[in-house]
Amino acid sequence: MRSLLLLIASFFLALTTTAQAQTSFMDLWCEYGGKGCVEQPQKAKPAPVAQPVPKPKPVQAKPKPQPKPLKQVSTPLITRNASLAQSKGVTFGRYYALVIGNNKYPNLDNLKTAIHDAKQVGQLLKKSYGFSVTQLINASRDQIIAALDEYRKILREEDNLLIYYAGHGWLDKESERGYWLPVDAAKDTRARWVSNADITDTLKALKARHVMVVADSCYAGTLTRSAEAGLEGTRGLKLVERPSGYLETLVGRKSRTVLASGALEPVSDQGGGKHSVFAYAFLKSLQENKAMMDGTQLFGNVRKQVLLNARQTPQYSNIRFAGHDIGGDFVFLRRDK
């Protein structure tokens, strides 16, 4: 009996040992619903660790182009050292000159003689005629307008102003209006041009009694009353006639005149040695004057010389709508230093 019990115990021990060793059998037994299986709680699978979502890199907006700061226009230093001009008991006032010479054009053809002409004119007016001269060399539109505005501030009623322009000019045939072309002018837009209207409006607002524009540019004749105006026009008195009280008449009457190098036509940039043909005649006429000379006399001298040497016809007349009084004229008074 005891032997039987030992045998049974040995059998169950072996069976237990085998079951422990072969766990796969029990797993299958329980999986197919075998008795005696206790359902073991399943261990919860660890939740997946959330990976940090990478933050999107901020899109850097392209900086908006900042507008360029407006270029400050340097106001030309208008010299004010002009002294009163007197002759035969008559006071003519002070004489000022704005002399402009443009050669270098980034958007147009360059000129050759305009700067040299302007410098020589300024020097002659200063030394021989007592003008207070301001020169603008290769001037932009803003510089020209700024200078004209300065003269509006300083000129008095008894003063005289001569504006000399040497540079490109243009005629808009559709509008029948002429323009000066500063060095910043372009062919395809009028944004930087100086029109006859700009000049006329300025001259009308000036307090000066006598103003003469001397324009050595193409189509300069558009400033005159008529392209066919001649020496015998009704514009002014001639000093050679010297009627009684003629000086008082000239001084007392307002004048706004233009001496143009040509009519509605292109004009030569050369022909007078180192000068344009017109500038050479203008300088020669002023140099040969020994006393007084009015604008009409000057025009007659210049016209003769230019007609002999070029296919252009200088013009001289009052400026339209600028406040000219009939009988007034610009007077050049020789005052060598």
Side-chain angles (χ1 to χ4, degrees):
M1 185 68 178
R2 186 176 180 180
S3 299
L4 179 60
L5 293 172
L6 289 173
L7 180 62
I8 293 172
S10 299
F11 173 78
F12 279 103
L13 179 62
L15 182 63
T16 303
T17 304
T18 302
Q20 290 176 349
Q22 297 178 358
T23 56
S24 60
F25 173 78
M26 292 303 295
D27 292 338
L28 291 172
W29 176 259
C30 292
E31 182 177 349
Y32 285 98
K35 296 182 179 180
C37 293
V38 179
E39 188 174 348
Q40 298 293 328
Q42 295 182 354
K43 293 183 180 180
K45 294 182 179 180
V49 179
Q51 296 295 326
V53 179
K55 294 182 179 180
K57 295 183 179 180
V59 179
Q60 295 183 351
K62 294 183 179 180
K64 294 182 179 180
Q66 297 296 323
K68 294 182 180 180
L70 294 176
K71 185 178 180 182
Q72 297 295 323
V73 180
S74 57
T75 302
L77 180 60
I78 307 298
T79 53
R80 308 187 186 191
N81 58 345
S83 59
L84 287 172
Q86 295 180 331
S87 178
K88 298 182 179 181
V90 177
T91 300
F92 288 85
R94 297 171 179 82
Y95 280 81
Y96 294 88
L98 174 62
V99 181
I100 305 166
N102 290 345
N103 271 358
K104 295 183 179 180
Y105 285 86
N107 304 313
L108 305 171
D109 294 335
N110 289 333
L111 298 177
K112 295 181 179 180
T113 62
I115 289 179
H116 184 61
D117 292 346
K119 289 183 176 181
Q120 292 297 308
V121 167
Q123 184 177 357
L124 179 62
L125 292 176
K126 181 178 180 179
K127 290 186 176 181
S128 299
Y129 289 87
F131 279 73
S132 176
V133 177
T134 297
Q135 287 190 341
L136 295 181
I137 302 301
N138 289 325
S140 67
R141 183 185 191 279
D142 290 345
Q143 289 173 323
I144 294 173
I145 298 300
L148 294 174
D149 287 345
E150 281 298 295
Y151 280 112
R152 288 184 62 173
K153 299 175 184 177
I154 70 170
L155 292 177
R156 306 174 188 177
E157 292 184 357
E158 69 274 12
D159 289 341
N160 310 272
L161 173 66
L162 184 141
I163 303 171
Y164 183 92
Y165 173 76
H168 274 306
W170 184 254
L171 171 64
D172 185 341
K173 294 182 179 179
E174 294 180 354
S175 66
E176 297 182 349
R177 176 164 290 172
Y179 294 86
W180 292 352
L181 303 186
V183 294
D184 53 348
K187 289 182 179 180
D188 55 352
T189 175
R190 295 173 298 163
R192 311 305 302 170
W193 301 3
V194 178
S195 72
N196 286 353
D198 295 326
I199 303 299
T200 300
D201 290 346
T202 298
L203 300 188
K204 189 173 182 179
L206 290 175
K207 294 184 178 68
R209 182 161 294 143
H210 299 141
V211 182
M212 175 187 282
V213 176
V214 181
D216 189 5
S217 65
C218 296
Y219 312 108
T222 56
L223 269 171
T224 64
R225 177 184 295 275
S226 169
E228 301 301 325
L231 181 62
E232 300 302 324
T234 60
R235 189 217 32 78
L237 297 172
K238 303 176 186 178
L239 291 186
V240 291
E241 297 174 356
R242 296 180 182 263
S244 176
Y246 76 98
L247 285 179
E248 290 80 358
T249 300
L250 289 180
V251 171
R253 294 185 181 180
K254 203 172 183 179
S255 68
R256 297 290 186 269
T257 57
V258 56
L259 174 57
S261 58
L264 307 183
E265 60 197 3
V267 298
S268 175
D269 182 39
Q270 301 181 64
K274 296 181 179 180
H275 300 285
S276 73
V277 64
F278 174 83
Y280 177 81
F282 181 75
L283 287 165
K284 187 172 184 293
S285 298
L286 289 178
Q287 290 166 347
E288 293 177 349
N289 175 50
K290 302 302 180 183
M292 285 187 294
M293 178 172 59
D294 70 2
T296 303
Q297 286 177 300
L298 175 64
F299 165 64
N301 296 335
V302 170
R303 184 173 182 271
K304 290 177 183 178
Q305 296 180 58
V306 172
L307 289 176
L308 290 174
N309 296 286
R311 294 181 178 180
Q312 62 192 70
T313 305
Q315 306 291 314
Y316 186 61
S317 184
N318 58 294
I319 298 176
R320 297 172 290 180
F321 315 121
H324 177 81
D325 291 337
I326 295 177
D329 202 357
F330 199 94
V331 178
F332 292 87
L333 183 65
R334 187 86 186 213
R335 294 182 294 161
D336 291 280
K337 294 184 178 180

